[in-house]
Amino acid sequence: MKQTNSDYLSDLQQQVKQHLSDYRYQHCLRTSERAVQLAQFNNYDTYKAQIAGLVHDYAKERSDEEFITMIKQEKLDADLLNYGNAIWHGIVGAFFIKYELGIVDEDILNAVRRHTTGDVRMTTLDKIVFMADYTEPGRDFKEAEEARAITDRDLDAGVRYQLQHTLEHLLQQKRQIYPLTIASYNEWVVQK
């Protein structure tokens, strides 16, 4: 008997839930719902957006050792070792999703990879997950309402808004900034 989309999604939710705290899992559910909403606003495949939103933080609570092992196993750029979970759970997390959840759709995997850094070129799904994560209803940072309103009107404007505010935040915190985030900012904010 063939598994329905609904059955698959239910199974996937259970798998994701097993690897996350309730707090993180609830965030993934809200991000998934927000991704569906943004997909509807942007005439994109809602089912694909729902899955990508659900799994985007699947690897968020992994140990540094697990990430480092995966970076080495997959022969990823050694510069990644200079960063941490904030970057790893997207770029490296996509491999955990592929191997453990069996998701091989590159659109979904790339959206997960890019949700922590943005990218110079982003697909509609990349932008949906990037902004769903940032604007899901549980987010209550100072600019959250403005970010939601901008994103609902114009997905690209939302991406620009997030990149600008994320970079400002990282600079204020004197945090190391991943080079792709700077390149994304330069492409999306400076060049527009």
Side-chain angles (χ1 to χ4, degrees), residues 23-185:
Y23 170 83
R24 183 62 47 193
Y25 177 65
Q26 294 303 320
H27 163 68
C28 288
L29 290 178
R30 290 189 305 268
T31 300
S32 181
E33 291 169 8
R34 178 71 171 140
V36 168
Q37 184 181 47
L38 291 176
Q40 290 168 338
F41 292 164
N42 292 281
N43 299 312
Y44 189 81
D45 180 337
T46 56
Y47 183 65
K48 204 172 197 173
Q50 186 175 25
I51 291 171
L54 176 65
V55 302
H56 82 286
D57 271 359
Y58 175 73
K60 179 78 173 172
E61 297 175 339
R62 300 294 173 111
S63 70
D64 287 358
E65 293 75 26
E66 288 175 277
F67 282 115
I68 291 166
T69 298
M70 187 67 77
I71 290 167
K72 291 176 180 177
Q73 173 188 312
E74 295 300 319
K75 298 177 177 50
L76 300 177
D77 184 348
D79 186 44
L80 275 170
L81 297 171
N82 296 317
Y83 295 86
N85 185 294
I87 299 299
W88 292 343
H89 80 274
I91 295 172
V92 186
F95 291 98
F96 290 102
I97 291 166
K98 182 177 183 179
Y99 298 141
E100 295 176 9
L101 301 178
I103 295 175
V104 295
D105 184 312
E106 281 298 315
D107 293 339
I108 292 172
L109 296 174
N110 281 331
V112 170
R113 286 181 186 108
R114 295 172 180 155
H115 93 272
T116 58
T117 61
D119 205 321
V120 174
R121 301 277 176 267
M122 294 174 75
T123 67
T124 300
L125 183 59
D126 295 342
K127 293 182 276 188
I128 286 170
V129 174
F130 189 65
M131 293 314 301
D133 178 36
Y134 192 68
T135 64
E136 61 92 342
R139 298 291 196 192
D140 60 0
F141 55 92
K142 185 175 64 170
E143 301 89 1
E145 281 304 317
E146 183 179 9
R148 283 185 199 99
I150 290 168
T151 303
D152 288 352
R153 283 192 310 271
D154 182 341
L155 190 59
D156 287 358
V159 170
R160 286 191 290 277
Y161 184 92
Q162 181 182 167
L163 284 167
Q164 180 175 342
H165 284 85
T166 297
L167 208 59
E168 287 171 359
H169 175 76
L170 292 170
L171 288 168
Q172 287 171 354
Q173 299 292 314
K174 295 184 174 45
R175 302 267 306 274
Q176 185 178 23
I177 301 171
Y178 191 67
L180 183 55
T181 304
I182 295 170
S184 301
Y185 170 83

